Amino acid sequence: MIAIFNPLRAARRAWQPIVLLPLLALLVAGHAPAQPALDVSTTYLGFGRVSLNTTSPIQPLFVMNVGDAAMMLHAITLGGDYPELFAVGGTCAETQQLAPRARCRIDVAFRPTVAGQRNATLSIVTDAASAPLVVALSGLGNGSIGMTATPNPNPDWIDFGSVALGASAAPRALTFRNDSGIALRLTSLGLQTRDRYDFTLSSTCNVGDALPNGSTCTFTFGFAPTEAGVRATTLYVGISYMEITEGVVYIQVSGVGGVLAPSPYVEAVEYYHGPFDHYFVTAIGEEIDRLDVGDFAGWARTGRSINVYPAAAPGLVAVCRFFSTAFGERSSHFYTALASECAKVKDNPSWMFEGDVFLVGLPVEGNCGGASIPVYRLYNEGMGGAPNHRFTTDLQVQGQMRSLGWTAEGDGVGVVMCALR
C-alpha cells in the first residue's frame, strides 16, 4: 500500500516528510514506480458432469502480467475440499518470471473417483499482490449406469492469441461430439461471463437439438478485442441425457487485446486426426493458422503442446521432419532430433524430408537438466496400416498411450528430446 502524505501528521512528527516526499514527488510528476500486475482469464473453472475414474477435457487458465515490471510466480497450488481430484499442468511454473505483457497457461483437469459435487481451489502466489489469487474449481462425479464418457469438445478450448485493438481474428471452430454412450439433448447454450461482447458465436448446435451417441455439431468463434490485455469468455452448454439427467459442459475461449511480450519459448501445438488415429505437432505459425481454420481436413487441436526453444544456442539441436504417402490412404509424419536417425531416414525413398522444424535439447541417459523437461516419444506399431508417433511431456499421457498398445521409444522411460517447462 502506498503511504499518503498527511501535513497534519507531519507537523507532529517532523521526520516523516523526509521519507515520503521523494515518493510524493514521483507521483505528482506522473512517474510512479514500475509495478507488476496479475490478471487471469477467469476466476472459476467448471468441469460439469464427469464419469467416475475418467479424466475431463482440459480447462485452461491464462495468467498474464499486465503491469510494467517483471512478475515472479512464487507458487501454484491446489487446495480446498478435494484437491486430489484435480491436476494441473501447462506452461506456467513456480519461480517463473513473466515480463510485462507476457503470459503463460495453467491446464487443469478433473478426475472424480466418487460420485457427487466436488470442489477445490487453485491458488496463484506472485510478487504482484500480498494475497494469493484464488480460482474456484468445481466438478460433478457422475456414477450413472450406462454412461461411459462426457461430451467431447475438440479441441478442449479456444485461444486466439494476441490481436490488435480494432482488428478481428480469423474464425476458430470447435467440434462438439457426443461420446456419452447415450443420446443427449442441448437444453441451453451461450457465451457467459467477463468479456463475452468481444467474442462472437455461430454454430450448427441449437437448443433443442438431439445428438445421438457418436454424432457431432460445430461451434465457430470470432474475436475482436475492444480493450488491451486478457480477454476471455466461457461457452456454457446445457445438456440432458434421455430427458432425465441434467449436465453442463464449459468451454473456455480467450485471447489478448494488443501485443504480447516476446515469449521465452515457441509453442509446438499438437493436433489429432480421428479417422487416422494419428498425432501431429507443429511450431510453424502459418501451418497452425491453416490447421485451425480447417484447411487440412480432419485435424483438430488436442489442447496440448510442447514448449520448444525460440533461437539456436549451445546444446540445442534442430528436429528433422519427414512426410510420407507410402501407406495407402493414411499419410504420416516422422520427427527426430538425432542426427544419425535423420540421416538414415533421408536415405529412405519412402520419406520426404520437409526440413528442420523446431529446436530442442538432447537428454543425457534419459535425463534433462536445468530448466528443461523430458519429451517422450511413443510409436503406434503401425496400427491401422500406417506408422505414427506421439510426443508428450506428460508422463501420465505416456502411460495412457502405452496402455493402448503404443511403444515408448528413447532413453530411459522413452525420452528423446528436452523442452522448456
Side-chain angles (χ1 to χ4, degrees):
M1 179 167 50
I2 297 174
I4 302 297
F5 177 58
N6 185 326
L8 294 178
R9 187 180 300 163
R12 293 192 297 269
R13 300 171 62 184
W15 53 267
Q16 197 168 14
I18 298 174
V19 177
L20 295 178
L21 276 176
L23 175 58
L24 182 62
L26 284 172
L27 294 175
V28 170
H31 299 291
Q35 298 284 344
L38 171 65
D39 195 11
V40 294
S41 53
T42 182
T43 54
Y44 172 76
L45 291 175
F47 293 85
R49 189 179 295 270
V50 179
S51 297
L52 298 186
N53 302 308
T54 299
T55 301
S56 71
I58 290 170
Q59 296 275 12
L61 178 76
F62 284 91
V63 176
M64 184 169 176
N65 178 9
V66 295
D68 51 9
M71 180 178 74
M72 177 71 75
L73 300 180
H74 291 305
I76 301 170
T77 57
L78 290 167
D81 297 332
Y82 295 94
E84 69 278 6
L85 302 183
F86 296 83
V88 297
T91 64
C92 295
E94 295 181 358
T95 72
Q96 180 178 353
Q97 190 173 72
L98 291 179
R101 298 199 60 76
R103 68 172 184 163
C104 60
R105 190 185 71 246
I106 301 174
D107 294 333
V108 186
F110 173 54
R111 186 178 177 86
T113 56
V114 290
Q117 188 73 34
R118 296 293 179 259
N119 301 322
T121 58
L122 174 67
S123 297
I124 305 170
V125 180
T126 74
D127 59 358
S130 57
L133 185 145
V134 179
V135 176
L137 311 176
S138 180
L140 180 65
N142 182 30
S144 299
I145 297 174
M147 184 174 174
T148 59
T150 52
N152 182 23
N154 192 357
D156 292 351
W157 44 270
I158 295 288
D159 177 56
F160 285 93
S162 60
V163 177
L165 297 182
S168 296
R172 294 278 303 276
L174 178 148
T175 300
F176 188 81
R177 181 182 178 89
N178 178 14
D179 287 327
S180 66
I182 55 179
L184 64 81
R185 185 177 299 277
L186 301 181
T187 59
S188 61
L189 61 88
L191 299 178
Q192 297 190 347
T193 71
R194 192 154 159 166
D195 312 312
R196 61 186 181 276
Y197 298 113
D198 282 9
F199 298 86
T200 60
L201 171 66
S202 61
S203 73
T204 62
C205 313
N206 300 293
V207 173
D209 286 353
L211 290 180
N213 181 54
S215 64
T216 64
C217 59
T218 302
F219 295 104
T220 301
F221 302 91
F223 176 49
T226 59
E227 295 183 21
V230 179
R231 312 301 291 166
T233 189
T234 302
L235 174 61
Y236 174 103
V237 184
I239 52 179
S240 66
Y241 300 97
M242 303 175 69
E243 308 298 336
I244 299 174
T245 306
E246 295 295 325
V248 177
V249 176
Y250 299 92
I251 298 168
Q252 302 299 319
V253 186
S254 58
V256 172
V259 178
L260 275 168
S263 174
Y265 59 83
V266 174
E267 194 169 19
V269 180
E270 183 185 58
Y271 293 83
Y272 177 69
H273 194 293
F276 288 2
D277 191 24
H278 279 191
Y279 292 89
F280 173 75
V281 63
T282 179
I284 301 171
E286 181 182 358
E287 207 164 51
I288 291 170
D289 291 341
R290 293 187 65 187
L291 282 160
D292 287 341
V293 299
D295 284 354
F296 304 107
W299 293 98
R301 290 191 185 218
T302 65
R304 297 184 177 275
S305 60
I306 298 169
N307 296 335
V308 297
Y309 291 82
L316 301 183
V317 297
V319 173
C320 299
R321 191 175 90 184
F322 297 86
F323 177 67
S324 179
T325 56
F327 308 101
E329 295 181 355
R330 300 189 179 194
S331 59
S332 189
H333 284 86
F334 176 72
Y335 304 77
T336 180
L338 299 175
S340 58
E341 198 170 47
C342 181
K344 183 177 180 179
V345 180
K346 283 181 178 178
D347 289 336
N348 187 332
S350 295
W351 291 92
M352 178 181 70
F353 177 59
E354 292 190 315
D356 297 332
V357 289
F358 49 79
L359 296 164
V360 296
L362 288 177
V364 177
E365 297 181 352
N367 297 308
C368 295
S372 66
I373 57 174
V375 178
Y376 308 102
R377 188 170 88 181
L378 297 125
Y379 175 49
N380 73 346
E381 295 291 347
M383 288 186 287
N388 185 237
H389 292 82
R390 186 179 189 185
F391 297 83
T392 180
T393 58
D394 190 325
L395 194 56
Q396 182 179 0
V397 170
Q398 192 220 35
Q400 292 170 351
M401 299 306 293
R402 294 177 70 178
S403 71
L404 295 174
W406 292 56
T407 300
E409 296 184 332
D411 295 339
V413 292
V415 182
V416 293
M417 308 173 193
C418 298
L420 285 161
R421 294 187 186 277

